[in-house]
Amino acid sequence: MRPEGRVLDLGCGTGFNQQFLSNGQTYVGIDPLLLKGANQYGFPFLLGMAEYLPFRENSFDSAVCIATLDHVGDPAMVISESLRILRPGGVLGIMNKGEIEGGRVARYGVYLRLGLRKLRYGNIAGLKRGLLEVVTGAEDDFHMHHFDRDSLSTLCASGFQHIDTQMVGNTLFLRAIKPGMSDRRR
Ligand SMILES: C[S@@+](CC[C@H](N)C(=O)[O-])C[C@H]1O[C@@H](n2cnc3c(N)ncnc32)[C@H](O)[C@@H]1O
């Protein structure tokens, strides 16, 4: 999505995603967990929830929500708060686990690729979790919400426009624009 300007990372964790910015953007993070000691973040960090953003209207150029929307209590509130704090023309980018498209055969193909990758990187816990999911059909128990392209687009459609989605393996990407005059990236 190439976030620009002032970027808010919703559910920033340790700020891992800051490393992917390269054009002098200002990075600000918010998360309800203090995962490092106070003052160790090295970027403006706020302890808080993405459902209640402590920022003024139109105060960010971009917002990203990476591997987080399925953990929050109320995804719709996160979307409407993102809309409020973004400037007109500002961009929201979401990355999340998504429902694999194309039926059972496609699903097993993706699981097989993911399983082999986990094996290659020695992620045995992840491999076990994935196998359990495939064999029992059970949802994992640490994601509170599950999205596919339609449900995530619908969530963002109340306010955002130019909504694009893409599935890569089992990962769902969405990019959406806040309506306004000054959208520089369309
Ligand atoms: C899987 S981690 C992803 C962290 C980071 N985005 C990354 O990609 O490394 C999910 C994060 O969502 C945060 N989280 C949970 N509920 C939240 C909420 N209501 N608002 C904001 N963040 C939340 C968790 O504290 C956790 O840091």
Side-chain angles (χ1 to χ4, degrees):
M1 66 174 282
R2 296 199 191 90
E4 287 179 355
R6 267 172 66 76
V7 180
L8 177 62
D9 191 349
L10 303 156
C12 64
T14 55
F16 175 79
N17 296 301
Q18 186 182 19
Q19 65 185 299
F20 301 113
L21 302 178
S22 54
N23 292 322
Q25 301 95 329
T26 306
Y27 178 84
V28 178
I30 183 166
D31 200 289
L33 291 181
L34 197 63
L35 296 167
K36 296 182 179 180
N39 303 325
Q40 285 184 348
Y41 278 84
F43 57 85
F45 171 81
L46 283 101
L47 196 60
M49 294 166 72
E51 290 94 329
Y52 304 95
L53 294 177
F55 302 105
R56 291 180 202 280
E57 287 73 14
N58 309 330
S59 53
F60 285 89
D61 301 290
S62 317
V64 295
C65 189
I66 299 170
T68 291
L69 199 64
D70 41 14
H71 292 280
V72 306
D74 190 335
M77 278 181 76
V78 175
I79 302 302
S80 74
E81 276 291 86
S82 305
L83 188 69
R84 184 182 65 72
I85 57 95
L86 281 171
R87 66 162 170 81
V91 185
L92 170 67
I94 299 174
M95 191 194 105
N96 236 90
K97 191 174 169 194
E99 294 292 326
I100 299 161
E101 296 167 349
R104 184 181 293 201
V105 173
R107 208 162 52 241
Y108 285 152
V110 171
Y111 282 139
L112 186 64
R113 276 205 307 279
L114 290 174
L116 288 174
R117 202 164 63 197
K118 283 183 173 134
L119 203 57
R120 180 147 43 105
Y121 290 105
N123 181 358
I124 303 303
L127 187 64
K128 270 194 202 153
R129 224 172 29 236
L131 268 176
L132 195 73
E133 220 176 301
V134 176
V135 173
T136 65
E139 301 284 6
D140 66 61
D141 53 6
F142 54 90
H143 291 106
M144 292 174 32
H145 309 280
H146 299 273
F147 298 103
D148 59 17
R149 275 146 76 110
D150 281 350
S151 58
L152 193 59
S153 301
T154 304
L155 200 62
C156 296
S158 55
F160 283 95
Q161 61 186 21
H162 304 292
I163 297 170
D164 286 330
T165 56
Q166 205 177 331
M167 277 296 291
V168 180
N170 67 342
T171 306
L172 171 57
F173 296 87
L174 177 141
R175 177 181 182 271
I177 310 278
K178 176 169 173 173
M181 301 293 291
S182 49
D183 178 3
R184 282 171 276 150
R185 58 188 79 222
R186 257 186 288 151

